[in-house]
Amino acid sequence: MSDETRGKLRRTTTVGELRLAVAAARSEGKSVGLVPTMGALHQGHLSLVEASVAQCGFTVVTIFVNPAQFGPDEDLARYPCTLEADLDALARCGADVAFVPAAEEIYPAGHATGVELGGVAEPLEGQHRAGHFAGVATVVLKLFNMAGADVAYFGRKDYQQMQVVKQMVADLNVPITICECPTVREPDGLAMSSRNKYLAGDARQRALVLWKSLCLARRAVAQGQRDGETILRQMREVIRSAEGAVIDYAALVDPETLAGVARVEQPTLAVLAVKIDETRLIDNCLLEPPLE
Ligand code: PAF
């Protein structure tokens, strides 16, 4: 498809154009939904777009690979870019605007202000990817201010990111509602992620150990196991059974505070970050002990 054949989907590259498009929608009484992405769209992203299209009169999707959230040794340079296919998919989903800014539009020369985080940003990814969430929160706040949307859609796949954004919105009184959407999985359980594109050869198959270990944790809790260390030991064994799998962390945490828990007596989040060869994957699932 080309821009002409993508129906109502409009590609904008400047904040001015984006604001005009949103103002026109507002003047027609439409509510505005925002889906921030870094492109390389898959069904996980598209489920967020579909939720916005179903709930809001006007849907803006942003596509911007944000350099500020990548560390020096991370995959910024090789991050997948599939812009034309992304725009086709957004047109099919019924999105109204794709905001695809250049880096200078987001970070003009002299840009020097950022969001400082604490709380839920500190453990897990916060320990392993210094500066990552500050980069995420800063760009997300800027995108919120640029689009002026009513609702923004985030997936539970990046659970800690979603909690960081929720905390920022509450702490800084940002006038937007955060809508949480479920993780979308491949039929065999692999959580959809743009980074799955890196999984070459049999790495795709080996990556299933993340989902297998989360399923094992769920089964253990359903069968009455409550001891966190026992569950984590079993999870780590499953992950290490895959060649080339290196665990960054495997943890059981409180779903609100992300503080570690020793016993699974309440709903608890099992969270994982695992490298399969060079590809770092994250996943999580809620463990829900049956009520006694
Ligand atoms: O989840 C992502 O793709 C990114 O972290 C986000 C929220 C678009 C910010 O760059």
Side-chain angles (χ1 to χ4, degrees), residues 36-46 61-65 70 75 78-87 89-90 100 192-198:
T37 82
M38 298 203 298
L41 302 182
H42 49 67
Q43 193 49 44
H45 297 111
L46 299 182
V61 181
T62 68
I63 299 181
F64 177 63
V65 182
F70 289 78
D75 54 348
R78 65 167 189 146
Y79 198 82
C81 173
T82 56
L83 183 58
E84 294 305 312
D86 291 353
L87 294 171
L90 294 180
V100 192
M192 291 202 184
S193 162
S194 305
R195 291 189 166 95
N196 291 351
K197 291 196 167 68
Y198 302 149

Side-chain angles (χ1 to χ4, degrees), residues 17-277:
E17 284 174 292
L18 172 63
R19 288 202 170 128
L20 278 177
V22 170
R26 288 228 179 270
S27 72
E28 293 169 18
K30 291 178 176 166
S31 59
V32 178
L34 174 70
V35 184
T37 82
M38 298 203 298
L41 302 182
H42 49 67
Q43 193 49 44
H45 297 111
L46 299 182
S47 71
L48 307 180
V49 179
E50 285 158 4
S52 175
V53 168
Q55 293 166 16
C56 302
F58 193 77
T59 292
V60 176
V61 181
T62 68
I63 299 181
F64 177 63
V65 182
N66 173 35
Q69 69 188 72
F70 289 78
D73 301 327
E74 295 184 355
D75 54 348
L76 174 62
R78 65 167 189 146
Y79 198 82
C81 173
T82 56
L83 183 58
E84 294 305 312
D86 291 353
L87 294 171
D88 292 349
L90 294 180
R92 282 195 296 272
C93 286
D96 297 280
V97 167
F99 178 51
V100 192
E104 309 80 65
E105 186 71 8
I106 302 292
Y107 300 114
H111 178 273
T113 305
V115 177
E116 191 182 314
L117 301 161
V120 294
E122 282 171 357
L124 308 172
E125 294 294 287
Q127 298 282 306
H128 288 263
R129 300 184 69 189
H132 168 67
F133 282 134
V136 170
T138 301
V139 83
V140 166
L141 183 59
K142 284 168 71 69
L143 295 170
F144 286 177
N145 287 334
M146 290 169 182
D150 301 292
V151 188
Y153 293 81
F154 286 85
R156 289 201 194 103
K157 152 77 171 49
D158 295 320
Y159 190 94
Q160 190 176 10
Q161 166 172 280
M162 187 184 75
Q163 291 300 103
V164 167
V165 171
K166 279 164 55 182
Q167 176 177 287
M168 174 183 74
V169 163
D171 289 352
L172 301 183
N173 305 88
V174 186
I176 196 162
T177 301
I178 303 303
C179 180
E180 293 185 21
C181 298
T183 302
V184 179
R185 298 183 180 280
E186 302 282 358
D188 60 8
L190 185 70
M192 291 202 184
S193 162
S194 305
R195 291 189 166 95
N196 291 351
K197 291 196 167 68
Y198 302 149
L199 296 169
D202 72 344
R204 166 70 184 71
Q205 192 59 25
R206 285 182 281 131
L208 286 179
V209 286
L210 279 87
W211 179 232
K212 283 185 189 150
S213 79
L214 292 170
C215 290
L216 176 143
R218 267 204 179 147
R219 272 199 308 278
V221 169
Q223 289 163 6
Q225 182 57 260
R226 297 287 175 268
D227 181 60
E229 257 324 304
T230 306
I231 297 168
L232 286 172
R233 187 166 24 78
Q234 293 173 359
M235 290 175 71
R236 290 187 188 110
E237 267 167 31
V238 171
I239 295 168
R240 290 190 182 120
S241 71
E243 208 187 308
V246 178
I247 300 172
D248 257 8
Y249 58 78
L252 302 178
V253 300
D254 179 286
E256 288 306 311
T257 64
L258 304 187
V261 301
R263 291 189 58 78
V264 183
E265 306 288 1
Q266 306 288 334
T268 297
L269 198 74
V271 282
L272 291 175
V274 177
K275 279 201 194 98
I276 303 289
D277 304 335

